[in-house]
Amino acid sequence: MVAKDYPFYLAAKRASCGGGARAAASPPKETEEPSTKRVKPLSRVTSLASLIPPVRATPLKRFSQTLQRSISFRSDSRPDLFSPRPWSRNMPPASTKRRDSKLWSETFDVCVNHMLTSKEIKRQEAIFELSQGEEDLIEDLKLAKKAYHDPMLKLSIMTEQELNQIFGTLDSLIPLHEDLLRRLQEVRKSDGSTEHVGHILVGWLPCLNSYDSYCSNQVAAKALLDHKKQDHRVQDFLQRCLESPFSRKLDLWNFLDIPRSRLVKYPLLLREILRHTPNDHPDQQHLEEAINIIQGIVAEINIKTGESECQYYKERLIYLEEGQRDSLIDNSRVVCCHGELKNNRGVKLHVFLFQEVLVITRAITHNEQLCYQLYRQPIPVRDLVLEDLQDGEVRVGGSIRGAFSNNERIKNFFRVSFKSGSQSQSHSLQANDSFNKQQWLNCIRQAKEKVTCAGKTRVLNSEAHFLLSPNGSRVSQGETTLEQMDQSDSESDCSMDTSEVNLDCERMEQTNSCESEKQIETDV
């Protein structure tokens, strides 16, 4: 019996069975309602909705956990497009290996805590965090070499030269941190407590100067890795590693960037140990000395890394004509800010803010390398005019494009302009969001302030450089110095002889005066 004949069948049955039958047949009326036909589709929609992973389910307690765990949780919150669906016949994915944070009080005998003060327990926790961080770092560095470097070299996914460029001096960092971990474990007592660590850090921290070459190479390493990801073999290998449990949802660059993040974390770890160290403790002085050492090392490496980054981008600038070359670019040692912006026509531009010049370029591929072709003439920062544009103030170019544009297209704009003689430029640039726009505005304003202060200093130095000559005319200090040198040279032929004669005459006069005084005294 087809479904559409079912109501007629019920009506005929009610007519034949009478009132009692009608009462008995009344419950099936519910099946006649159209809602009964929607029960199965509704359950299907509900089951599909239950399969969508919750994106906003982020407990507040995760904020107190370590950086590595927060990164893995943020990755877990995103839907995994590559994971097999429950209705597929593939095997379920392996569980992700997560690294839980460990506490000193949970690792060692809890009974010891009753004999220690609250401040001493916090000090032991900070020392243990330093030691545990070294152990995790060594594990990650070895994993990067074993799971990424060696297989890609063996499978010829990348050449040895390319891998050396990407991984840099990673191998040399492993024994360095193994040495610190061994020293920290040697001074740890049987109950897990550590009395002195300051002298160990003072003797070991200077070894971190070897981070100079590794951090300076990171800009070129990141660019080469991004370029090699366009190769399907490299992308497929990295994707398989990312889906494997050992990666903890971290890609290759996360592992390569761990040493740098560890380096800048040392001052924070040492300050935490010092904060819970009593003033009369022998470690107090050593920890203060260790903090000064690591701050100096981080500052020096930061400067060299900035210079290396600046040199890397300067070498990849492509000039369409010789007139675009500027000595301000060649003399720059730091890139204050750089990134992708759009003009009012929607064209993507890569803008570099060097110390004294703003360079607007287009990212292109040249000889299989990412390069930056100059879009217009470089703009000197001292002559640059910056305008913060309000949302909606910029008109998007093109009537059709403007008609179909939404509100997001006319937000986060700022304008840079320049006019010098017959040359003039004006660019309305759009940032990705309001935060990025504010970063650009702050960087440009700071660069202008530095250039203005440097200009005033040059003016003062130039004014102090000029002196008045004996005849009243203004001559430079250099010319005055030369004149003094000439005069000294002309007098040098007889200056030595006359000085000796003058000394002899003075001695004779002093001798005669003394004898005359003695003669007067005797006469009296």
Side-chain angles (χ1 to χ4, degrees):
M1 181 182 294
V2 294
K4 65 180 181 179
D5 296 334
Y6 185 65
F8 297 100
Y9 168 75
L10 292 177
K13 188 175 181 180
R14 285 197 299 269
S16 61
C17 297
R22 282 196 299 269
S26 58
K29 282 186 177 181
E30 298 179 357
T31 60
E32 300 178 27
E33 298 298 328
S35 61
T36 58
K37 297 181 180 180
R38 299 178 183 176
V39 172
K40 291 184 179 180
L42 182 61
S43 63
R44 188 181 305 149
V45 173
T46 306
S47 62
L48 288 175
S50 64
L51 297 177
I52 300 176
V55 177
R56 298 182 180 179
T58 305
L60 294 177
K61 63 181 180 180
R62 290 179 182 170
F63 290 106
S64 62
Q65 295 173 346
T66 59
L67 178 62
Q68 290 137 340
R69 293 192 64 191
S70 64
I71 292 176
S72 63
F73 279 135
R74 284 198 297 269
S75 301
D76 293 342
S77 63
R78 304 192 190 102
D80 192 356
L81 300 179
F82 298 96
S83 60
R85 298 295 183 259
W87 53 80
S88 64
R89 296 183 179 179
N90 296 332
M91 294 295 295
S95 59
T96 302
K97 179 183 178 182
R98 294 175 179 174
R99 177 182 291 162
D100 296 330
S101 59
K102 298 179 182 179
L103 298 177
W104 174 79
S105 56
E106 297 175 353
T107 306
F108 296 97
D109 190 3
V110 184
C111 299
V112 179
N113 300 337
H114 299 291
M115 298 180 295
L116 300 177
T117 63
S118 176
K119 188 172 184 178
E120 181 60 27
I121 292 177
K122 292 180 180 179
R123 182 174 186 271
Q124 294 300 324
E125 293 285 1
I127 296 174
F128 182 74
E129 183 180 359
L130 173 65
S131 176
Q132 187 64 33
E134 293 298 307
E135 188 174 344
D136 294 342
L137 175 63
I138 295 169
E139 180 183 348
D140 288 336
L141 296 183
K142 291 182 177 180
L143 179 64
K145 177 175 174 53
K146 182 179 179 181
Y148 290 93
H149 179 278
D150 296 345
M152 284 193 290
L153 180 61
K154 186 176 181 180
L155 298 175
S156 300
I157 297 177
M158 288 191 195
T159 63
E160 184 176 1
Q161 183 179 2
E162 292 171 341
L163 291 173
N164 291 337
Q165 178 68 43
I166 293 175
F167 285 81
T169 59
L170 185 72
D171 289 344
S172 63
L173 303 181
I174 297 176
L176 182 69
H177 292 277
E178 286 179 339
D179 180 37
L180 176 60
L181 180 61
R182 178 184 56 80
R183 297 187 189 187
L184 294 176
Q185 290 176 346
E186 287 178 352
V187 296
R188 182 183 296 168
K189 298 180 181 179
S190 59
D191 57 4
S193 61
T194 302
E195 186 68 22
H196 305 286
V197 295
H199 65 288
I200 296 177
L201 295 171
V202 170
W204 178 82
L205 285 174
C207 301
L208 292 179
N209 286 308
S210 59
Y211 266 72
D212 180 9
S213 58
Y214 183 81
C215 294
S216 300
N217 180 61
Q218 279 198 304
V219 178
K222 182 67 165 59
L224 179 58
L225 179 60
D226 292 341
H227 176 69
K228 294 300 296 183
K229 285 182 179 179
Q230 299 175 7
D231 186 350
H232 70 279
R233 294 186 62 200
V234 177
Q235 181 62 30
D236 180 69
F237 177 83
L238 296 179
Q239 184 62 39
R240 290 176 182 271
C241 292
L242 185 62
E243 296 173 1
S244 301
F246 69 84
S247 67
R248 308 193 308 277
K249 299 291 184 180
L250 302 178
D251 60 9
L252 174 57
W253 182 251
N254 292 132
F255 286 101
L256 296 178
D257 194 49
I258 286 176
R260 183 203 57 82
S261 61
R262 179 67 178 178
L263 178 65
V264 299
K265 195 176 179 180
Y266 279 119
L268 302 177
L269 293 172
L270 300 189
R271 288 195 191 98
E272 186 67 14
I273 299 175
L274 179 62
R275 190 163 68 94
H276 301 295
T277 300
N279 295 331
D280 56 348
H281 197 280
D283 258 2
Q284 181 78 18
Q285 183 178 356
H286 287 142
L287 288 173
E288 293 177 352
E289 183 181 356
I291 291 174
N292 293 332
I293 293 174
I294 187 59
Q295 286 179 339
I297 293 175
V298 172
E300 184 67 21
I301 293 178
N302 189 32
I303 293 174
K304 293 184 178 179
T305 303
E307 294 176 353
S308 176
E309 179 188 18
C310 182
Q311 185 63 29
Y312 173 83
Y313 286 117
K314 287 195 300 183
E315 293 175 353
R316 279 152 183 80
L317 292 178
I318 297 179
Y319 301 91
L320 295 177
E321 56 185 15
E322 288 297 323
Q324 292 179 334
R325 297 185 179 274
D326 197 324
S327 60
L328 295 177
I329 300 177
D330 299 333
N331 297 332
S332 297
R333 300 179 60 187
V334 177
V335 180
C336 302
C337 186
H338 75 93
E340 184 179 283
L341 299 172
K342 295 180 181 178
N343 61 10
N344 57 343
R345 296 181 179 179
V347 178
K348 293 182 180 181
L349 304 172
H350 200 98
V351 183
F352 294 91
L353 176 62
F354 294 96
Q355 290 171 292
E356 298 185 11
V357 62
L358 183 74
V359 183
I360 302 176
T361 68
R362 287 177 176 174
I364 62 172
T365 302
H366 180 68
N367 293 334
E368 298 185 355
Q369 287 186 351
L370 181 63
C371 298
Y372 305 93
Q373 186 182 75
L374 265 70
Y375 179 65
R376 295 287 295 274
Q377 292 292 125
I379 302 177
V381 172
R382 64 176 180 273
D383 301 326
L384 184 146
V385 178
L386 177 65
E387 298 179 63
D388 183 4
L389 302 179
Q390 300 299 323
D391 293 341
E393 187 174 345
V394 176
R395 182 179 179 181
V396 179
S399 58
I400 299 179
R401 186 177 300 171
F404 291 96
S405 62
N406 52 19
N407 294 331
E408 294 298 327
R409 291 186 56 84
I410 56 178
K411 288 183 179 180
N412 308 318
F413 270 93
F414 64 94
R415 181 180 291 124
V416 291
S417 57
F418 160 71
K419 186 175 182 181
S420 177
S422 59
Q423 297 182 359
S424 63
Q425 296 183 45
S426 180
H427 304 276
S428 297
L429 304 175
Q430 183 184 27
N432 296 330
D433 49 38
S434 58
F435 177 78
N436 192 12
K437 171 188 173 180
Q438 193 61 42
Q439 291 293 318
W440 274 102
L441 294 176
N442 294 339
C443 288
I444 295 175
R445 287 166 182 164
Q446 291 175 4
K448 286 185 66 65
E449 291 177 0
K450 290 181 180 180
V451 170
T452 303
C453 294
K456 292 180 180 179
T457 304
R458 293 193 195 100
V459 171
L460 293 176
N461 292 337
S462 63
E463 291 179 354
H465 188 69
F466 287 92
L467 299 174
L468 288 177
S469 62
N471 57 4
S473 61
R474 290 187 69 186
V475 296
S476 65
Q477 187 176 359
E479 294 176 355
T480 306
T481 305
L482 291 176
E483 292 177 0
Q484 293 175 352
M485 291 175 63
D486 292 338
Q487 293 177 1
S488 63
D489 290 338
S490 61
E491 297 174 356
S492 61
D493 295 336
C494 57
S495 60
M496 293 298 297
D497 297 337
T498 54
S499 62
E500 293 176 357
V501 172
N502 292 334
L503 287 174
D504 294 337
C505 294
E506 290 176 359
R507 291 171 183 171
M508 291 174 64
E509 291 176 357
Q510 291 177 359
T511 304
N512 294 334
S513 61
C514 292
E515 291 178 355
S516 61
E517 289 175 357
K518 290 180 180 179
Q519 183 66 32
I520 292 173
E521 291 176 356
T522 53
D523 295 339
V524 173

